[in-house]
Amino acid sequence: MKKVTTLVLVIILLLPICTVFATGGGEKKSGSQGKLSTINVAIPALPDTLNSAAPILTISMYRVSYNIFNNLIEYDFKGDKGLMPALAESWKYIDGKTLEVNLRKGVKFHNGDELTSEDVAFTFEKILDPVIGSKSAAGQWTLFDRVEIINKYTVRFHTKQTDPVMLNRLSLPAFQIVNKRALKEAKNIEDWAFEPVGTGPYKVKSFNPADQLVLEAHNEYWGGKPYADTLIFRAVPEVSARIAGLIAGDYQVISDVATDLIKTVEADKNLSIEGGPSASYLAVYFNLHKPYFDVNLRQAMSLAVDRDLIIKTLFSGRTRVVNGLQEPGYGPMFVKEIPYPKYDLNKAKELVKKSKYNGEVIPYYILNDYYPNEVSVAQAMVEMWRAAGVNVQIEVKENWGQVNIEDSNKIRILGMRNTSHTDQYGDPSGCLWRTYTPKYDAQLLHNWQGADVDEFNKLGEILDSTADQKVRYNSAKRMLEIFDANPPAMILYQNVVFSAKRKNIDWNAYRQVYMYFGPENFKQ
């Protein structure tokens, strides 16, 4: 059977690609040393808003926001340093429910105001406001209680009960610090969202969500003066157009390079590829409202997928499969005993026969390569599932609204859909538990339930509320075991984040979608 699957993948790869790439060098230089005063970055889409307290924060927002705002604490997605000081220069736990944070003195906002405790308290008041705040942020810190101002440069964060990852939460993109005066003086939050005031290395000059975001250097940035006067993010939906513009010198950096186009980029001596496996995992959600999705069918569909073959054939070996929804970067919280996902076609066939599945067509809703190689991967898996006796039909939708369409009973009509689970701060509470709590899709919308799910939820609460690392480890281990035994989704592999750049600039991609051009990560 492996030969048949390989043939299917080869056929997919050999489908004609009708793309013409421009050539030439269009870079415009200025300054006595020939440095670029303007850096142009092409990305698939811009966010609808630059409001860090928006009800829903998107990948496109994350991609640009780190150039405008800072967190109190940052997670090192460039290297392996873990949590690092940012707007906070030091911190200490008063007790399990209280964290004292000392702010960096002399930090300037884009409007010239100095960062103080008032700004920090105001930021969290707005972000976690149940009426206008971010629902995703509130879901990421359900234990949050209040911010107490101690003095001009010191605040204390209070939680409702012991929170062992308070520091980690402060590094989340939803909790970037904004200027109190600027937001209070704005006509409304919608106006403010088009010219927000942060402390990052660049400030907003103009913003058109359909076209471009123009940023100017914040020369009083606490991390040092940026190396470019102007940073422009341009919305360029087609990857072929992004690559053509990079080759021509119209862009200095582009994001989201398809794996099958990497060789095209590397063939140009002036260009290089950046990135690789990200801190995000591609998964397929099962809609458990469908009667046929009993545990036997779900386990069978996972066993029928040869993940290693997909990675070798469609990703040129540039990503990897994970042992459960976790990664070795967790350190002492990484559970080594969790098994590597198996490929076992014979076992898959046995489980299909034991399941409630009777040959129904399972609708699999995807987008047109929203995730890297999404369509090709889906096509390959459909053939693998067919070999196991499962009939899956791909339906490519234009947007998420079409993917998540509901029936008259407010139940989504899809059979399966893709999703990504982002590991936001190197702890199981920031991925496994955050994405499978009762408030998120698997339980809230896709009907994952049962006695073992109740146990999973109790363990998640323990994971979130005890400082005892041994207890936390054992909780995470059991949660991963429950996930494997009664899977609400099928974890496939680590997503890839490939960017490309012109070699005359010194810029590095992160293990995240964030594209950061501050002086710590971009030079000329």
Side-chain angles (χ1 to χ4, degrees), residues 70 74 78 201 221-227 506 508 510 516-523:
N70 291 120
E74 295 179 350
K78 181 180 178 180
Y221 175 55
W222 59 271
K225 184 178 178 180
Y227 284 84
D506 182 1
N508 296 290
Y510 285 1
Y516 181 63
F517 289 85
E520 307 95 329
N521 192 52
F522 167 71
K523 297 178 182 179

Side-chain angles (χ1 to χ4, degrees), residues 129-142:
D129 185 296
V131 178
I132 67 168
S134 169
K135 293 178 182 177
S136 61
Q140 291 169 25
W141 203 354
T142 56

Side-chain angles (χ1 to χ4, degrees), residues 12-203:
I12 291 169
L13 286 171
L14 291 177
L15 292 175
I17 301 172
C18 299
T19 305
V20 177
F21 296 102
T23 58
E27 293 187 354
K28 297 179 180 179
K29 299 181 179 180
S30 64
S32 59
Q33 297 181 348
K35 292 182 179 180
L36 295 168
S37 62
T38 299
I39 299 299
N40 289 280
V41 182
I43 60 179
L46 289 163
D48 294 327
T49 177
L50 298 177
N51 174 17
S52 58
I56 298 175
L57 297 175
T58 63
I59 287 176
S60 53
M61 174 65 176
Y62 295 155
R63 189 175 273 121
V64 303
S65 68
Y66 277 80
N67 297 285
I68 304 168
F69 305 102
N70 291 120
N71 288 77
L72 294 172
I73 294 165
E74 295 179 350
Y75 190 83
D76 180 23
F77 283 109
K78 181 180 178 180
D80 57 2
K81 296 178 182 177
L83 296 172
M84 304 186 299
L87 296 181
E89 65 177 5
S90 64
W91 50 81
K92 65 179 179 181
Y93 280 96
I94 304 301
D95 55 45
K97 299 191 293 183
T98 311
L99 176 70
E100 184 173 285
V101 173
N102 297 307
L103 302 180
R104 200 179 291 274
K105 296 180 177 65
V107 173
K108 294 294 183 69
F109 281 100
H110 299 153
N111 61 0
D113 290 356
E114 184 186 13
L115 168 72
T116 70
S117 299
E118 294 281 348
D119 299 293
V120 174
F122 179 80
T123 295
F124 281 85
E125 174 188 328
K126 291 298 180 186
I127 290 175
L128 296 170
D129 185 296
V131 178
I132 67 168
S134 169
K135 293 178 182 177
S136 61
Q140 291 169 25
W141 203 354
T142 56
L143 299 179
F144 176 83
D145 183 23
R146 62 191 170 92
V147 179
E148 176 189 4
I149 295 175
I150 304 301
N151 57 47
K152 186 176 181 179
Y153 300 110
T154 305
V155 296
R156 285 183 181 174
F157 288 90
H158 296 270
T159 54
K160 297 168 187 174
Q161 60 191 69
T162 299
D163 186 346
V165 288
M166 235 190 292
L167 279 177
N168 306 64
R169 297 188 203 281
L170 291 178
S171 72
L172 291 171
F175 301 135
Q176 293 169 332
I177 305 302
V178 303
N179 179 256
K180 178 179 180 179
R181 179 172 69 88
L183 187 49
K184 289 182 75 70
E185 291 179 354
K187 184 178 179 181
N188 52 55
I189 197 163
E190 288 77 19
D191 284 358
W192 176 86
F194 275 78
E195 198 172 352
V197 177
T199 59
Y202 294 91
K203 52 188 175 182

Side-chain angles (χ1 to χ4, degrees), residues 360-372:
E360 299 92 334
V361 174
I362 300 176
Y364 181 18
Y365 290 3
I366 65 173
L367 295 176
N368 188 15
D369 288 346
Y370 178 86
Y371 300 110

